C-alpha cells in the first residue's frame, strides 16, 4: 500500500474509535468525533468552517457540522462531497464477532460500526481533498467537503439546517457518497418520494353478540385498507426503468392491536401504509386521493376516520444524466475503476433528495458492499482507496468550456 493510502487507513481507524452514535438513538453525538476531525484538518493546513446547531436534547447541547474547501478558478461555484459523522448504535453485541468500536482489520476489511456508513466516504473525500491540496493543481471551481450531523435520524441538525442557512448554491455540484454498489458502477440520480400514513377509524365498541348495537371499526378499517390498496396501486402505475424496482409501491404495513379479547367488537382500528412514489408523481395527489376515499367511507359507514402523515418526504426532481456532476462522476469512475457506470434510482432516501428538492443536481455514489447498520459492518480497504482516487479525479476531469 502506498504511503497516502496507509495514512488514510490509519486515520480511518482512529476516527472509528471515537463514538458518534446519534443522540436520538441513545448515543453521545458527533461532538468528540467532530473535534478530532477539526483538529486533523487544521493540522493539515485546511481552514475549517464549523456550523454548530443548537440541540438542547443532545450531550453538549450543540450538533456540529464541519466544512473545508480549496479554492478554484471559478470561486462562485463549489463541488461538494457530503458525508455524515453520526452512526446508528451497534445493536445487539452478541451478533458482532469483534468490538464494534475497536476497528479490526481482517481479510482486507475494516470492521467497525460506522465503517461503511458513512466513515469510508468521509475519509475518502477528506483524503481526496488533501491530495488535491498537495498537488497544487488549478481547480476549475472550489472543491470541498462537508461532514454533517444527524443524518441517521432526521437531518434536522445537519443538512436541513445548512440548506436553510443558504450554504449551498443552485449551481453547485453535489456528490453524496452515502449509498452505492459493490462494483462502484451505480450512480444514483433519482429517489422515490416517501409517505408513511396512519389511518384511525373510530366506531363503537360493543359485545360481539350484539354487533348491530355498535359499529365495528375493524371491519371498516379493513375494507378501507383494501380499497386504498386497490386504488393507489391501480392508479399510480407508471414505470420508470431507472429504478430496479420500477414502479411506485403502496404497502399496508403496521397494524395496531385492538381489543384484547375475542368477544368484543372493536371500536377503534389503526393501520399504516408505507408508500414509495416515483418522482414523476406528486405526493400531494396521493394524499388527496386518500382523503377523498376516507370521506366516502365516513359517509358510507358513519364512522369517524382520521388521517395522519407520520412521514412525508416528497422526491426532488431526478438529476439529469447530462448534468455536470453526473457526467464528471461517470468520467472519473470509468477512468479510475475501468468500469462502465450506469445511472439508477432507489426506493430509499438519502440527503441527496434534500438537495434535489432545492434544485441542486446531486449524484449519490460510493463503492460499498451495502452492509450499513448490520452487525460486523465493514468497509473494504480497496474501496476506500479506489473512491479516494475517484473523488480526487472528478474535478480534474472537468472541461473548462463545459457549462451547466
Ligand atoms: Zn449513511
Amino acid at each position: 500500500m502506498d504511503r497516502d493510502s496507509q495514512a488514510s487507513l490509519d486515520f480511518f481507524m482512529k476516527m472509528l474509535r471515537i463514538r458518534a452514535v446519534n443522540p436520538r438513538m441513545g448515543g453521545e453525538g458527533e461532538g468528540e468525533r467532530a473535534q478530532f476531525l477539526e483538529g486533523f484538518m487544521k493540522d493539515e493546513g485546511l481552514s475549517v468552517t464549523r456550523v454548530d446547531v443548537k440541540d438542547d436534547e443532545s450531550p453538549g447541547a450543540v450538533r456540529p457540522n464541519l466544512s473545508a474547501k480549496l479554492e478554484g478558478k471559478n470561486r462562485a461555484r463549489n463541488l461538494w462531497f457530503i458525508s455524515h459523522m453520526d452512526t446508528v448504535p451497534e445493536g445487539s453485541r452478541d451478533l458482532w464477532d469483534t468490538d464494534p468500536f475497536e476497528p479490526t482489520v481482517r481479510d482486507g476489511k475494516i470492521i467497525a460500526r460506522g465503517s461503511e456508513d458513512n466513515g469510508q466516504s468521509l475519509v475518502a473525500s477528506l483524503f481526496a481533498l488533501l491530495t488535491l491540496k498537495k498537488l497544487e493543481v488549478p481547480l476549475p471551481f472550489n472543491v470541498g467537503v462537508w461532514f454533517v450531523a444527524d443524518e441517521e435520524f432526521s437531518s434536522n441538525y445537519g443538512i436541513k439546517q445548512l440548506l436553510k442557512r443558504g450554504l449551498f448554491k443552485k449551481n453547485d455540484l453535489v456528490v453524496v457518497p452515502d449509498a452505492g454498489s459493490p462494483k462502484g458502477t451505480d450512480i444514483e440520480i433519482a429517489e422515490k418520494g416517501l409517505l408513511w400514513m396512519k389511518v384511525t377509524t373510530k366506531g363503537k365498541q360493543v359485545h360481539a353478540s350484539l354487533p348491530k348495537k355498535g359499529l365495528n371499526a375493524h371491519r371498516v378499517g379493513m375494507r378501507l385498507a383494501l380499497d386504498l390498496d386497490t386504488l393507489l396501486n391501480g392508479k399510480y402505475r407508471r414505470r420508470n426503468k431507472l429504478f430496479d424496482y420500477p414502479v411506485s409501491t403502496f404497502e399496508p404495513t403496521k397494524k395496531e392491536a385492538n381489543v384484547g379479547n375475542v368477544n368484543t367488537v372493536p371500536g377503534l382500528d389503526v393501520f399504516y401504509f408505507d408508500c414509495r412514489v416515483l418522482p414523476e408523481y406528486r405526493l400531494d395527489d396521493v394524499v388527496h386521493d386518500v382523503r377523498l376515499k376516507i370521506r366516502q367511507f365516513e359517509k358510507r359507514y358513519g364512522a369517524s376516520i382520521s388521517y395522519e402523515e407520520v412521514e412525508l418526504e416528497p422526491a426532488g426532481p431526478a438529476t439529469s444524466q447530462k448534468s455536470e456532476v453526473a457526467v464528471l462522476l461517470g468520467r472519473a469512475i470509468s477512468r479510475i475503476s475501468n468500469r462502465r457506470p450506469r445511472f439508477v434510482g432507489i426506493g430509499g432516501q438519502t440527503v441527496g433528495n434534500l438537495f434535489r428538492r432545492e434544485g441542486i443536481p446531486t449524484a449519490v455514489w460510493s463503492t460499498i458492499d451495502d452492509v450499513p447498520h448490520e452487525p460486523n459492518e465493514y468497509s473494504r480497504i480497496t474501496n476506500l482507496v479506489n473512491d479516494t482516487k475517484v473523488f480526487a479525479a472528478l474535478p480534474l476531469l472537468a472541461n473548462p468550456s463545459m457549462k451547466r
Side-chain angles (χ1 to χ4, degrees):
M1 190 183 283
D2 65 90
R3 225 170 49 194
D4 285 342
S5 302
Q6 187 63 53
S8 76
L9 177 59
D10 294 343
F11 175 80
F12 193 9
M13 306 273 281
K14 273 190 206 156
M15 186 188 80
L16 289 169
R17 280 188 197 107
I18 305 166
R19 295 177 193 223
V21 174
N22 192 299
R24 291 297 183 285
M25 300 169 168
E28 53 291 294
E30 304 86 354
E32 204 192 327
R33 185 173 284 192
Q35 209 175 334
F36 168 73
L37 287 167
E38 190 178 355
F40 178 82
M41 289 195 282
K42 283 182 174 163
D43 287 348
E44 292 291 327
L46 293 168
S47 94
V48 179
T49 303
R50 183 176 170 131
V51 178
D52 281 334
V53 181
K54 204 165 139 19
D55 175 13
D56 290 333
E57 285 174 49
S58 74
V62 291
R63 307 291 292 277
N65 295 274
L66 301 173
S67 174
K69 70 177 176 185
L70 304 174
E71 280 191 345
K73 218 165 143 210
N74 179 355
R75 291 189 185 182
R77 195 170 189 206
N78 308 290
L79 162 65
W80 293 118
F81 295 99
I82 310 223
S83 54
H84 60 89
M85 293 183 283
D86 61 320
T87 76
V88 295
E90 69 275 32
S92 171
R93 282 256 177 174
D94 302 346
L95 301 174
W96 286 80
D97 299 332
T98 57
D99 182 341
F101 299 102
E102 182 49 53
T104 309
V105 178
R106 190 179 286 171
D107 305 327
K109 299 168 180 171
I110 304 144
I111 305 158
R113 173 54 84 226
S115 53
E116 177 185 288
D117 183 15
N118 198 204
Q120 175 187 306
S121 293
L122 188 157
V123 174
S125 62
L126 175 55
F127 277 77
L129 194 71
L130 293 176
T131 303
L132 291 171
K133 183 171 183 293
K134 198 158 73 176
L135 288 174
E136 294 181 335
V137 280
L139 298 168
F141 30 66
N142 304 332
V143 178
V145 293
W146 273 101
F147 306 143
V148 302
D150 199 31
E151 191 278 339
E152 294 293 359
F153 190 73
S154 65
S155 288
N156 281 339
Y157 303 94
I159 286 297
K160 285 183 181 169
Q161 263 301 321
L162 303 177
L163 281 165
K164 240 183 243 168
R165 295 182 188 198
L167 294 165
F168 302 98
K169 301 192 189 109
K170 289 255 187 287
N171 71 340
D172 282 352
L173 298 90
V174 173
V175 176
V176 175
D178 194 19
S181 57
K183 294 201 162 129
T185 48
D186 296 3
I187 302 175
E188 187 256 276
I189 51 169
E191 295 177 14
K192 289 178 185 173
L194 177 84
L195 167 64
W196 287 349
M197 59 185 188
K198 174 183 181 185
V199 178
T200 305
T201 302
K202 282 193 186 122
K204 190 175 174 227
Q205 178 175 314
V206 289
H207 195 282
S209 65
L210 303 162
K212 289 247 148 61
K213 271 183 76 182
L215 176 59
N216 191 329
H218 182 39
R219 178 182 287 123
V220 178
M222 282 195 292
R223 285 187 173 151
L224 176 56
L226 285 174
D227 264 31
L228 286 174
D229 185 20
T230 309
L231 169 74
L232 299 174
N233 282 302
K235 181 170 175 182
Y236 296 91
R237 296 173 63 111
R238 242 186 263 171
R239 298 177 78 82
N240 182 336
K241 58 182 178 5
L242 201 57
F243 291 82
D244 280 338
Y245 206 93
V247 290
S248 304
T249 55
F250 303 90
E251 288 298 304
T253 51
K254 183 171 162 179
K255 180 85 183 69
E256 279 180 18
N258 50 24
V259 289
N261 50 307
V262 183
N263 58 350
T264 297
V265 167
L268 189 71
D269 179 86
V270 184
F271 67 81
Y272 297 76
F273 265 66
D274 172 296
C275 312
R276 315 264 165 163
V277 184
L278 287 176
E280 41 269 64
Y281 289 118
R282 281 161 27 100
L283 283 187
D284 287 351
D285 292 337
V286 175
V287 171
H288 178 78
D289 285 339
V290 171
R291 287 188 184 279
L292 217 63
K293 178 60 77 183
I294 286 175
R295 294 292 88 81
Q296 287 172 7
F297 262 68
E298 283 190 314
K299 270 200 191 133
R300 194 183 305 164
Y301 293 99
S304 110
I305 307 174
S306 68
Y307 162 88
E308 267 171 76
E309 277 142 19
V310 178
E311 195 84 55
L312 178 105
E313 291 289 350
T319 294
S320 164
Q321 303 183 13
K322 296 197 174 76
S323 64
E324 194 170 356
V325 68
V327 170
L328 289 178
L329 183 55
R331 215 178 270 172
I333 294 165
S334 347
R335 298 263 185 108
I336 301 292
S337 329
N338 258 316
R339 287 200 165 111
R340 186 207 278 268
R342 64 170 196 145
F343 294 105
V344 301
I346 60 170
Q349 285 197 341
T350 70
V351 297
N353 188 51
L354 300 173
F355 286 97
R356 291 191 189 117
R357 280 203 321 229
E358 301 288 322
I360 302 170
T362 302
V364 175
W365 175 86
S366 64
T367 313
I368 52 170
D369 284 356
D370 216 10
V371 291
H373 304 198
E374 291 183 17
N376 304 315
E377 174 184 354
Y378 64 87
S379 150
R380 287 187 187 277
I381 296 168
T382 48
N383 292 342
L384 171 71
V385 174
N386 176 77
D387 288 11
T388 306
K389 289 182 190 166
V390 170
F391 294 152
L394 202 156
L396 303 178
L397 296 170
N399 179 344
S401 67
M402 202 169 160
K403 293 237 166 66
R404 209 179 132 243

